Amino acid sequence: MTDTNTNHLSWDEWDELHNPPPAVTDFDRVVERAISRRGFLSVLAMGSAAVAMGSVGNLMSSTSAQAQEAASRFAFKPIDIATDNTIHVPEGYNWKPLARWGEPLFSTASDIDPMKGVSLENSDKVFGENTDGMELFVIGGAQVIAVNHEYVNNETNLPHAPEGMPQSLDDVKILQNMQGVTVMEVAEGENGWAIVVDSPFNRRIHHNTPMKLSGPAAGSELVKTAADPAGVDCLGTFNNCGAGKTPWGTYLTCEENFNGYFGSTNAEFAMPEDYKRYGIVSETRYAYEKFDERFDVSKNPNEPRRAGYIVEIDPSDASSTPIKRTALGRIKHENAAVVIARDGRVVVYMGDDERGEFLYKFVSNGIYVPGGDTSKLLDEGTLYVAKFSDEGTGEWLALTEETTGMKADEIAVFTRQAASKVGATTMDRPEWVAINPVAIEAYCCLTNNSNRAVLKDGKMRTNAGGDVMEINAVNPREANEYGQIVRWYPENDDHADGKFKWDLFAMAGNPAVHKDGVYAGSSNINEGNMFNSPDGMMFDSTGLVWIQTDGEDSNEGEFAGQGNNQMLAGDPVTGRIERFMTGPKGSEVTGLTWSADKRTMFAGIQHPAAPFPDGEGKLPRSTIVAIKRDDNALVG
Ligand code: FEO
Ligand code: CA
Ligand code: CA
């Protein structure tokens, strides 16, 4: 049966617990990498990670004039850590809730019952749970936010069910309806921002919403089911984590830990070999498979192969059909950072958030022409995976029939396996990618990796495909619990180029606990700005990078002095990082976008542990908050 004692765990934690990657050994590689590691550590020991890693060192060489100019980029007084149950923002700023779990999108829904949560009848008409990636669209004068609901806390949504485990198909439907995506119009009034109830843009997309498969996997034998013999019509989008926005005004929602929704009611069923790489196992925390046959892999073995994609949604048309863009690969997608290359091709950067998995890039065949046909841009192109050298260079390895020996549909469905074949670099859990709008460079949060270079039974830990997680320059720490942010500069200033240079923008650490060495962090981390587990990341229009954390918030031991999860701003030019916001205890800060006039910043608070945002005696509710300056000046 499902382990109901693990409902408090995040998706990533639950998945690690149930799908520990296998251990294999390759002694020669271990030794080889250990030597490289010593070389790298000796540089770090001199207190100049920056010298080895590149331009973090620019911080030290800034002239005072540059420093002054840089200082003016932080228009706020940095704040201290917090350990309480609310949000803190700098002096001169304020915050208010915009949308809470269970708030009606339509007047036919009633507000949440503070004791019973959301009824089945209301569950597809209200704001879902656990807000995550989001984007704001301006559509004919309306401001429309599309936002993900990554997962649900069973006990919160099913208070009547023992330990939150579904007892019926109705219970399963509540959980299915509370996840997915919300599209909603928002407006600012006298009392701040609010959902425009009954706006024609308002829409819930959930685990049963009809959508289309397109690209190389559409129509493949790998995705055909009894209910969909053509392999093109699927239902639902799952574990929607980060997001993206195309220049043509569509929303990209990213399916991350989709594996957790598919289980088997038949203990004798031989799980297909490819399930292992994605962590599809017979037990689930949601028990969908017990009441909804579609999720029972012993009856529908291809169903999990129809999830794990990037899904394109048109927020301007509430009746439009979402499209699963399989050309962008099937991985545990974190977000989708879109940029247009020099020649007009569309480039999408994507992380696969699992220990030892990879960083990807898609480049379209076609050119983006404003106002032109964009329907095939994300269907036809080449998927690449990143290989980082220890010398600060890297290359994008194409995943093609020639390089992998796999057919196009196999590459689209078994993308991790394809990437292993070409020798991609195992990474410390790639989370969000962010693209600098004022420089040709991109960043990725590598959140942490407790298994990096860790031995188990005398063998070095691997990802689920057997790729060893040795120490390398881009993932330079054993049992990495703090995380780092890698940055790359495409060759020829072109995001479509096959080569890049890279450095580490920041290596998180704890200089209060570790006085020196790699766990103290890079030179731009200090006792006043330290954090762990960078995850969400977005640039604002001025070129500041906003970093959100999803880490250990015990404020003890290795994490003493780091407080609750938080949001910080970083300056790409100087490396300076300052803390802007702290979230309530137990929560993760994730999801960021701005109002059309850039006078409001919207940030997401996911899974708060204690009553939030409405205070004692009320349910803890995942919430998007609106943050403004008291003087209504620009915030991004
Ligand atoms: Fe949904 Fe990897 O965070
Ligand atoms: Ca995340
Ligand atoms: Ca995370």
Side-chain angles (χ1 to χ4, degrees):
M1 63 169 278
T2 301
D3 179 357
T4 53
N5 294 324
T6 58
N7 272 335
H8 63 286
L9 298 177
S10 75
W11 254 110
D12 293 324
E13 290 165 342
W14 188 92
D15 203 44
E16 284 180 8
L17 191 68
H18 286 70
N19 305 300
V24 298
T25 189
D26 182 336
F27 186 67
D28 289 341
R29 291 183 72 188
V30 172
V31 171
E32 183 190 326
R33 288 304 179 189
I35 292 166
S36 319
R37 180 170 170 254
R38 276 200 299 277
F40 180 59
L41 282 176
S42 67
V43 177
L44 289 174
M46 297 189 298
S48 56
V51 173
M53 308 311 296
S55 63
V56 171
N58 293 347
L59 182 59
M60 312 308 291
S61 60
S62 299
T63 64
S64 64
Q66 284 172 319
Q68 275 177 8
E69 186 188 330
S72 68
R73 286 165 61 77
F74 290 86
F76 61 89
K77 188 174 160 210
I79 64 169
D80 203 353
I81 61 162
T83 57
D84 59 7
N85 294 323
T86 189
I87 283 179
H88 297 276
V89 290
E91 233 175 79
Y93 288 74
N94 61 77
W95 68 273
K96 286 180 181 170
L98 160 69
R100 303 162 174 83
W101 162 59
E103 265 188 57
L105 301 168
F106 302 97
S107 54
T108 48
S110 46
D111 206 352
I112 195 167
D113 180 320
M115 302 308 293
K116 293 182 183 166
V118 178
S119 66
L120 173 59
E121 189 189 15
N122 285 338
S123 60
D124 61 351
K125 304 178 188 69
V126 299
F127 190 70
E129 210 201 354
N130 285 333
T131 180
D132 209 316
M134 60 179 146
E135 295 282 357
L136 184 137
F137 300 84
V138 178
I139 306 170
Q143 297 190 61
V144 176
I145 289 179
V147 53
N148 294 340
H149 303 289
E150 187 179 31
Y151 70 101
V152 282
N153 296 296
N154 289 23
E155 283 130 327
T156 311
N157 286 274
L158 302 175
H160 61 277
E163 294 175 312
M165 288 313 292
Q167 305 296 301
S168 64
L169 182 59
D170 280 359
D171 284 353
V172 165
K173 279 190 176 154
I174 290 176
L175 300 185
Q176 291 174 334
N177 284 346
M178 297 308 296
Q179 301 174 69
V181 175
T182 287
V183 182
M184 60 185 182
E185 184 178 349
V186 297
E188 190 174 25
E190 277 182 11
N191 297 316
W193 286 87
I195 299 168
V196 178
V197 173
D198 291 332
S199 161
F201 296 107
N202 292 0
R203 177 179 194 188
R204 281 304 319 283
I205 292 166
H206 48 65
H207 288 181
N208 290 300
T209 301
M211 38 196 83
K212 291 275 183 202
L213 287 162
S214 75
S220 161
E221 292 301 323
L222 297 169
V223 299
K224 289 178 179 173
T225 63
D228 174 28
V232 292
D233 293 300
C234 56
L235 297 174
T237 180
F238 301 94
N239 211 261
N240 307 79
C241 183
K245 184 182 193 178
T246 65
W248 52 94
T250 57
Y251 181 66
L252 302 177
T253 185
C254 306
E255 299 186 316
E256 192 186 17
N257 292 299
F258 65 90
N259 56 311
Y261 301 95
F262 302 94
S264 174
T265 59
N266 177 1
E268 306 300 311
F269 176 68
M271 305 289 269
E273 179 62 26
D274 60 276
Y275 282 19
K276 213 177 283 173
R277 185 66 185 268
Y278 291 89
I280 299 161
V281 293
S282 53
E283 293 181 8
T284 73
R285 73 196 296 192
Y286 288 144
Y288 283 12
E289 73 280 3
K290 294 190 172 75
F291 304 100
D292 186 342
E293 207 169 276
R294 183 159 69 93
F295 297 89
D296 184 348
V297 296
S298 69
K299 295 179 176 135
N300 289 294
N302 279 355
E303 194 67 30
R305 300 188 185 124
R306 295 146 65 91
Y309 298 106
I310 283 180
V311 186
E312 185 173 14
I313 295 169
D314 179 359
S316 73
D317 177 3
S319 67
S320 60
T321 303
I323 301 172
K324 294 198 168 189
R325 298 292 186 185
T326 68
L328 279 64
R330 176 168 167 266
I331 57 176
K332 293 189 178 176
H333 278 288
E334 184 69 24
N335 83 327
V338 183
V339 64
I340 300 301
R342 283 186 169 276
D343 63 3
R345 285 180 291 165
V346 182
V347 176
V348 187
Y349 289 113
M350 304 166 286
D352 183 355
D353 179 11
E354 186 121 57
R355 288 177 297 185
E357 292 294 344
F358 310 126
L359 177 66
Y360 293 84
K361 176 174 90 167
F362 171 85
V363 182
S364 69
N365 289 347
I367 303 292
Y368 167 59
V369 178
D373 179 12
T374 57
S375 63
K376 294 289 175 206
L377 287 177
L378 299 182
D379 282 346
E380 295 164 359
T382 304
L383 194 56
Y384 298 84
V385 65
K387 181 173 186 175
F388 291 80
S389 83
D390 287 358
E391 287 72 49
T393 59
E395 57 183 318
W396 293 103
L397 307 172
L399 303 180
T400 64
E401 296 194 16
E402 293 72 34
T403 61
T404 65
M406 297 165 70
K407 295 191 165 47
D409 61 335
E410 293 172 330
I411 295 169
V413 178
F414 306 134
T415 307
R416 285 181 165 183
Q417 291 92 326
S420 286
K421 288 185 182 228
V422 300
T425 302
T426 62
M427 305 296 283
D428 286 349
R429 298 186 48 201
E431 301 247 28
W432 291 44
V433 176
I435 297 168
N436 192 337
V438 298
I440 311 290
E441 60 187 31
Y443 295 59
C444 180
C445 287
L446 302 171
T447 195
N448 56 52
N449 183 350
S450 53
N451 283 352
R452 172 66 61 182
V454 169
L455 301 180
K456 188 179 179 190
D457 303 328
K459 301 168 184 176
M460 190 176 285
R461 301 293 294 266
T462 70
N463 66 17
D467 305 314
V468 177
M469 289 187 270
E470 74 278 43
I471 291 287
N472 53 40
V474 69
N475 305 280
R477 289 178 294 184
E478 183 179 337
N480 173 19
E481 55 192 350
Y482 295 125
Q484 64 268 16
I485 300 173
V486 61
R487 158 173 60 185
W488 59 96
Y489 313 89
E491 286 285 294
N492 300 310
D493 283 342
D494 185 357
H495 283 287
D497 199 281
K499 290 194 162 60
F500 58 89
K501 292 191 171 62
W502 66 268
D503 62 21
L504 292 182
F505 172 65
M507 196 159 64
N510 193 325
V513 171
H514 303 280
K515 291 302 174 196
D516 49 35
V518 286
Y519 298 99
S522 49
S523 58
N524 51 348
I525 301 297
N526 55 59
E527 291 188 37
N529 71 0
M530 61 180 175
F531 59 93
N532 72 85
S533 303
D535 184 337
M537 187 164 53
M538 296 279 281
F539 271 88
D540 68 24
S541 62
T542 72
L544 273 186
V545 62
W546 295 82
I547 303 158
Q548 302 175 319
T549 72
D550 171 24
E552 169 65 65
D553 70 352
S554 64
N555 203 34
E556 292 175 350
E558 295 289 301
F559 308 99
Q562 301 192 332
N564 292 352
N565 280 301
Q566 52 192 281
M567 181 162 72
L568 310 101
D571 184 340
V573 179
T574 63
R576 180 179 169 188
I577 296 172
E578 300 290 1
R579 185 180 298 115
F580 176 79
M581 180 183 115
T582 55
K585 188 84 186 162
S587 73
E588 162 186 355
V589 181
T590 185
L592 184 63
T593 192
W594 285 265
S595 61
D597 64 7
K598 305 281 194 285
R599 295 180 195 281
T600 304
M601 167 190 272
F602 300 103
I605 299 296
Q606 196 190 81
H607 60 78
F612 176 85
D614 302 315
E616 288 307 314
K618 305 280 171 51
L619 290 169
R621 294 169 81 173
S622 169
T623 299
I624 298 175
V625 298
I627 301 167
K628 294 179 70 74
R629 280 176 58 120
D630 296 341
D631 61 6
N632 204 30
L634 299 173
V635 292

